[in-house]
C-alpha cells in the first residue's frame, strides 16, 4: 500500500458487524504475487488518491471527513477522481469479499454439484487421473514440435499432432491444478490461476481489465464454460475477406468438439434465479432468448468457475484434450515460461525458457530449452503469442503483429429485487438474450462471486455496505459487444507486456444501447433498482432509460471488463494483411505456426472457446498432413 494509507479507515469500504475487517491484510498475498511494475502502479494510484483532498491528505483526516469526501467524489467528483475511487473500491472489494465473516454475513458459499445421472441416463464423466510428471527433469528436451501454451488452442493442436504420431512437448508457464488442489480462498485462486493475478488491463479511456488464465488448461480453467459455434456470417466474412476457404466447412468440427466436451444446454428449471429473472424479463418484452450451452455435462450447480471448477465437471483442457494428448505420447511441462524463440537461418528450431517460475522467486528460475526438429507452435493467446514473438525479435512482414486486438468489451449490469436471488445458487452463466445480435450486442446472465462483484455496487460507507450485505437480492447480466474498436499488444521499455485499446464512439453508443436493454429487461422482471456501471450514474431509474440513450455518457464514463482477447496475429491468405497464412504458418518464418485466439481475423460476438479449438485443430491437421 502507499505510504501513509495503512489499513483503510471506517467509511473507505463497507464494514460488517460486529467486527471490522481489514482488507489490506487480506490483500497482502495478492501484492506479493504481482509483477513489480503492477505494484508500482498500484502504489502510485493510492498515493494520488491520498492527496486528492489537497491541501489535506485523506489518510490523515478524521473518519467523518473521509466518509464525506468519499461521498462527494462518488456523487460529484471529476472523471479522474471517480476512476481512482473505483480503483480503491476494487482493491477493497477483493480483500473485503474474501473474508469468511463477510461471506457468512451475506450467505455466500461457492459450491458445485452434478446430477448422478441425467434424463438420458448418462452419468457424469469420472475424473481423469492427474497429468503427472510435469516438471522438466533436465535442462533441455528434443521433440518434433514444441507447443507453447496449454489453453484451448494449445491443447487442441497438441492432441491432433500427438495422435498423428508426432513427438510433442507442451509448455505452460502456470502451474497444474485440479479439483484436488484449487485454492479455496479467492485471492489465493487468482494469484495461482491468472496472469498478473487477474490484473491484466488494456489501457485506454476507459481502461478495460482483461483477465486471462495462466495454468495448465489456460483460460478454459477459469472461464464459465459457455460454448457457442462461430456465427455463420462471421465465417463467411473470413472466407471472402481473408481467404480462409475452409471456414465454410467447420460444421463437423464443431459437432466433434461438442461431443468431446459434453456440451449441453443449461436446464432453465435448474439454472437458478439469476438466469430465470433474465428469462422472465425477455419473455415479458417478447425478445429472443435461450439457455446457454456449456461444456459441463450434468452440472446443476456452479459458483466457483472463476476459481477452478471444484468438481472439474467443466471440461476444461486439463480434463479433456490434454489427457488425450498425453495418452498419445505428448509431454506436458508446467511452470515453464517461454522467453525467446530460437531461429536458425530464418527457421524456428526451438524455444529458450525459464523453468520453475511459478513460485515467483527469481532464485527458483533455471534455464531450460526445447529443440524442435520440425517446428514451433505458438498458443499463448492474443497477449502471450505477440509478446513472445516481439521479445524474440521477430517482425511480421505485414507489420500487423500485435495489432487488431479485439476483446469483446463488456459491462456488468446489476439489479436489486425484493425477492431473494442468491445468484451463486444454480449456474453462474446460464442464459442469453440474442435479440440485438444485429447491433453486436449479446446479453448473458452472469453472476460474479462476492470478492469480485461487490465493488461494482454504487455508494460508499454505510450506503455501499447496505447494498453489499443485500448481495443475495442481486441479479446481474453481462452486456457483451462484438467490437469494431481495436487495440494493440506491444512491449514497454522494460520489456513487460503493454496493452492498449481505444473504444470508439460508435462502440460506446452500442454499449449504452445494451445497458439500456438490460435495464428494461430487469424492470420487466420486477427489479427495484438497476446499476448501469456508468460513472456518475449510481442507479438507472426506469423513467431515465430513454434519457441515457438520447444523451450517451462519454466513453471514459463506462466501467468495462473484457474476457475474450483475439486477433493480434490474425490469419490472412495475403501476407500483406495477416501475420499467418490460412494454415496457421507465420509469414516470414519457416517452421513457425500459431494456433490460438490471436489468429481470429475479426471479432466473433460470442464466447470464442469452441472457435479457437476448431481453428487450432484445423491448423494442426494441416501441419500434420504437411509433415507426413
Amino acid at each position: 500500500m502507499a505510504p501513509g494509507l495503512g489499513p483503510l479507515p471506517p467509511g473507505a469500504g463497507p464494514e460488517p458487524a460486529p467486527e471490522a475487517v481489514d482488507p489490506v491484510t487480506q490483500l497482502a498475498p495478492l501484492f506479493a504475487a504481482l509483477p513489480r511494475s503492477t505494484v508500482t502502479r498500484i502504489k502510485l494510484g493510492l498515493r494520488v488518491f491520498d492527496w486528492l483532498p489537497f491541501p489535506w491528505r485523506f489518510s490523515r483526516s478524521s473518519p467523518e471527513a473521509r466518509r464525506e469526501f468519499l461521498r462527494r467524489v462518488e456523487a460529484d467528483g471529476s472523471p479522474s477522481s471517480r476512476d481512482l475511487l473505483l480503483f480503491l473500491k476494487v482493491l477493497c472489494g477483493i480483500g473485503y469479499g474474501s473474508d469468511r465473516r463477510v461471506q457468512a454475513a451475506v450467505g455466500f458459499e461457492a459450491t458445485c454439484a452434478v446430477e448422478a445421472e441425467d434424463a438420458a441416463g448418462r452419468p457424469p464423466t469420472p475424473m481423469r487421473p492427474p497429468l503427472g510428471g510435469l516438471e522438466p527433469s533436465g535442462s533441455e528436451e528434443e521433440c518434433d514440435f514444441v507447443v507453447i501454451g496449454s489453453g484451448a488452442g494449445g491443447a487442441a493442436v497438441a492432441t491432433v499432432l500427438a495422435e498423428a504420431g508426432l513427438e510433442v512437448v507442451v509448455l505452460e508457464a502456470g502451474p497444474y491444478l485440479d479439483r484436488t488442489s484449487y485454492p479455496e480462498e479467492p485471492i489465493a485462486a487468482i494469484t495461482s490461476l491468472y496472469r498478473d493475478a487477474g490484473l491484466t488491463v488494456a489501457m485506454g479511456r476507459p481502461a478495460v481489465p482483461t483477465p486471462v488464465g495462466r495454468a495448465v488448461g489456460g483460460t478454459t480453467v477459469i472461464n464459465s464454460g459457455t460454448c457457442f459455434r462461430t456465427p455463420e456470417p462471421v465465417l463467411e466474412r473470413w472466407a471472402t475477406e481473408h481467404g480462409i476457404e475452409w471456414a465454410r466447412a467447420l460444421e463437423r468440427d464443431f459437432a466433434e468438439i461438442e461431443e468431446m466436451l459434453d456440451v449441453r444446454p443449461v436446464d432453465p428449471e435448474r439454472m437458478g434465479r439469476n438466469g430465470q429473472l433474465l428469462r422472465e424479463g425477455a419473455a415479458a418484452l417478447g425478445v429472443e432468448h435461450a439457455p446457454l450451452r456449456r461444456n459441463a455435462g450434468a452440472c446443476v450447480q456452479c459458483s466457483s468457475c472463476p476459481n477452478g471448477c471444484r468438481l472439474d465437471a467443466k471440461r476444461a483442457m486439463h480434463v479433456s484434450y490434454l489427457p488425450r494428448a498425453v495418452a498419445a505420447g505428448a509431454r506436458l511441462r508446467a511452470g515453464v515460461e517461454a522467453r525467446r524463440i530460437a531461429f536458425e537461418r530464418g527457421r524456428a528450431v526451438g524455444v529458450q525458457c525459464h523453468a520453475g517460475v511459478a513460485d515467483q522467486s527469481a532464485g527458483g528460475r533455471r534455464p531450460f530449452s526445447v529443440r524442435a526438429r520440425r517446428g514451433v507452435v505458438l498458443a499463448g493467446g492474443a497477449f502471450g503469442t505477440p509478446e513472445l514473438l516481439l521479445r524474440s525479435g521477430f517482425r511480421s512482414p505485414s507489420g500487423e503483429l500485435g495489432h487488431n486486438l479485439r476483446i469483446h468489451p463488456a459491462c456488468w449490469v446489476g439489479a436489486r429485487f425484493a425477492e431473494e436471488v442468491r445468484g451463486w445458487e444454480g449456474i453462474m452463466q446460464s442464459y442469453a438474450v440474442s435479440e440485438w445480435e444485429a447491433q453486436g450486442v449479446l446479453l448473458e446472465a452472469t453472476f460474479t462471486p462476492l470478492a469480485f462483484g461487490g465493488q461494482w455496487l454504487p455508494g460508499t460507507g454505510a450506503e455501499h455496505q447496505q447494498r453489499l450485505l443485500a448481495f443475495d437480492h442481486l441479479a446481474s447480466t453481462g452486456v457483451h459487444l462484438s467490437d469494431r474498436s481495436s487495440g494493440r499488444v506491444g512491449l514497454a521499455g522494460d520489456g513487460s507486456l503493454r496493452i492498449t485499446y481505444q473504444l470508439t464512439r460508435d462502440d460506446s453508443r452500442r454499449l449504452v444501447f445494451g445497458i439500456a436493454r438490460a435495464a428494461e429487461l430487469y424492470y420487466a422482471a420486477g427489479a427495484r433498482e438497476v446499476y448501469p456501471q456508468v460513472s456518475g450514474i449510481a442507479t438507472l431509474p426506469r423513467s431515465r432509460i430513454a434519457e441515457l440513450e438520447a444523451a450517451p455518457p462519454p466513453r471514459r464514463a463506462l466501467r468495462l471488463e473484457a474476457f475474450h482477447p483475439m486477433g493480434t496475429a490474425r490469419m490472412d491468405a495475403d501476407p500483406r494483411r495477416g501475420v499467418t497464412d490460412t494454415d496457421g504458418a507465420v509469414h516470414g518464418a519457416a517452421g513457425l505456426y500459431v494456433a490460438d485466439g490471436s489468429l481470429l481475423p475479426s471479432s466473433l460476438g460470442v464466447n470464442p472457446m469452441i472457435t479457437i479449438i476448431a481453428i487450432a485443430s484445423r491448423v494442426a491437421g494441416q501441419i500434420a498432413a504437411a509433415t507426413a
Side-chain angles (χ1 to χ4, degrees):
M1 304 296 286
L5 281 182
L8 291 165
E15 303 164 313
E19 300 177 76
V21 170
D22 177 10
V24 178
T25 301
Q26 294 282 346
L27 288 170
L30 174 66
F31 295 141
L34 289 171
R36 189 171 303 171
S37 58
T38 302
V39 174
T40 298
R41 288 195 294 269
I42 289 173
K43 288 182 175 180
L44 176 62
L46 292 173
R47 189 172 290 112
V48 171
F49 186 88
D50 192 28
W51 281 104
L52 272 183
F54 185 82
W56 49 275
R57 293 176 63 179
F58 181 81
S59 61
R60 297 182 180 178
S61 304
S62 68
E64 293 75 16
R66 298 181 206 184
R67 290 191 186 100
E68 176 59 21
F69 175 72
L70 293 173
R71 188 199 63 76
R72 285 190 287 106
V73 170
E74 173 108 337
D76 304 308
S78 68
S80 296
S81 62
R82 284 175 179 160
D83 288 348
L84 283 169
L85 176 58
L86 176 62
F87 170 65
L88 185 63
K89 286 177 70 173
V90 168
L91 291 179
C92 289
I94 293 173
Y96 186 77
S98 297
D99 190 281
R100 290 182 180 273
R101 293 168 294 174
V102 178
Q103 295 171 7
V106 173
F108 176 83
E109 184 180 6
T111 58
C112 296
V114 295
E115 289 184 324
E117 188 176 271
D118 67 12
R122 296 173 296 190
T125 302
M127 181 183 177
R128 295 180 181 269
L131 302 171
L134 302 182
E135 298 299 323
S137 56
S139 61
E140 60 182 2
E141 284 191 71
E142 189 171 342
C143 58
D144 290 325
F145 286 94
V146 58
V147 178
I148 302 169
S150 66
V157 76
T159 299
V160 173
L161 293 178
E163 291 181 346
L166 294 160
E167 188 180 2
V168 177
V169 170
V170 182
L171 305 179
E172 169 57 52
Y176 172 78
L177 296 168
D178 61 21
R179 71 182 189 182
T180 68
S181 54
Y182 296 128
E184 292 191 8
E185 298 299 327
I187 291 176
I190 62 174
T191 56
S192 299
L193 293 168
Y194 289 73
R195 178 174 182 146
D196 297 336
L199 296 182
T200 305
V201 177
M203 301 306 297
R205 294 195 175 206
V208 186
T210 311
V212 293
R214 189 183 179 91
V216 172
T219 302
T220 70
V221 179
I222 49 93
N223 69 14
S224 295
T226 296
C227 294
F228 279 97
R229 295 187 178 189
T230 319
E232 287 294 333
V234 174
L235 293 174
E236 184 60 30
R237 285 199 302 273
W238 290 357
T240 57
E241 297 177 14
H242 300 277
I244 310 170
E245 292 294 336
W246 50 259
R248 296 187 174 105
L250 290 175
E251 188 75 18
R252 181 178 296 178
D253 302 65
F254 292 142
E256 291 176 354
I257 294 165
E258 290 166 350
E259 178 69 21
M260 173 68 182
L261 299 182
D262 200 3
V263 175
R264 309 183 200 176
V266 174
D267 179 358
E269 302 309 313
R270 303 290 296 274
M271 67 184 174
R273 286 301 288 157
N274 190 60
Q276 289 169 355
L277 286 167
L278 188 69
R279 179 183 65 170
E280 291 169 11
L285 296 183
V287 298
E288 188 173 346
H289 56 97
L292 289 169
R293 293 168 58 82
R294 302 179 66 241
N295 64 328
C299 175
V300 294
Q301 161 65 34
C302 70
S303 54
S304 70
C305 273
N307 300 335
C309 177
R310 297 289 173 85
L311 300 177
D312 276 333
K314 180 176 63 178
R315 307 301 196 264
M317 296 300 100
H318 69 301
V319 294
S320 54
Y321 277 84
L322 287 173
R324 262 182 60 180
V326 170
R331 303 192 297 274
L332 177 59
R333 301 291 178 243
V336 176
E337 182 180 26
R339 298 297 300 172
R340 293 183 69 88
I341 302 165
F343 291 95
E344 291 180 3
R345 296 184 294 277
R347 182 178 184 84
V349 296
V351 58
Q352 299 166 357
C353 313
H354 286 158
V357 298
D359 61 6
Q360 300 290 328
S361 167
R365 300 184 181 190
R366 58 185 175 83
F368 178 72
S369 64
V370 180
R371 179 83 176 177
R373 293 182 292 266
R374 298 195 178 192
V376 175
V377 184
L378 304 179
F383 296 156
T385 285
E387 178 186 23
L388 180 57
L389 283 169
L390 292 169
R391 190 190 299 132
S392 302
F394 179 78
R395 296 296 180 265
S396 173
S398 66
E400 294 296 310
L401 178 62
H403 294 251
N404 309 303
L405 173 67
R406 303 294 195 274
I407 58 176
H408 285 168
C411 185
W412 177 95
V413 176
R416 181 176 61 84
F417 286 81
E419 67 172 282
E420 277 196 328
V421 179
R422 298 181 67 84
W424 55 88
E425 295 180 352
I427 307 298
M428 296 189 77
Q429 190 167 94
S430 56
Y431 213 80
V433 176
S434 55
E435 175 74 14
W436 302 288
E437 282 183 313
Q439 289 91 337
V441 172
L442 174 69
L443 273 59
E444 293 180 341
T446 306
F447 200 82
T448 306
L450 179 64
F452 312 113
Q455 55 265 38
W456 298 108
L457 293 169
T460 60
E463 180 187 9
H464 185 261
Q465 180 191 23
Q466 184 179 11
R467 287 194 173 105
L468 185 69
L469 294 179
F471 203 65
D472 56 342
H473 288 256
L474 181 71
S476 62
T477 190
V479 177
H480 296 262
L481 183 69
S482 182
D483 45 340
R484 299 166 189 156
S485 307
S486 66
R488 183 175 179 180
V489 173
L491 298 179
D494 61 358
S496 62
L497 183 68
R498 176 176 172 79
I499 308 166
T500 56
Y501 183 82
Q502 298 302 323
L503 186 73
T504 65
R505 286 188 177 87
D506 178 63
D507 276 0
S508 176
R509 285 192 292 267
R510 291 193 295 142
L511 280 163
V512 171
F513 171 86
I515 292 169
R517 303 289 78 74
E520 288 176 342
L521 288 166
Y522 275 137
Y523 281 121
R528 298 296 181 88
E529 197 171 53
V530 169
Y531 313 123
Q533 292 313 303
V534 178
S535 178
I537 305 178
T539 62
L540 180 60
R542 196 171 197 166
S543 60
R544 296 190 61 188
I545 295 175
E547 179 184 334
L548 177 72
E549 287 192 88
R555 287 170 285 178
R556 70 168 299 174
L558 300 181
R559 294 171 171 174
L560 307 178
E561 297 176 279
F563 304 94
H564 306 148
M566 63 192 93
T568 52
R570 71 177 178 189
M571 177 182 285
D572 199 293
D574 187 343
R576 296 169 299 179
R577 300 182 63 227
V579 176
T580 83
D581 66 15
T582 59
D583 291 342
V586 175
H587 294 301
L592 186 60
Y593 305 87
V594 176
D596 59 25
S598 65
L599 286 176
L600 307 188
S602 67
S603 183
L604 286 182
V606 297
N607 306 55
M609 179 170 61
I610 294 291
T611 300
I612 293 170
I613 295 172
I615 288 185
S617 299
R618 279 280 173 152
V619 167
Q622 291 165 153
I623 294 172
T627 56

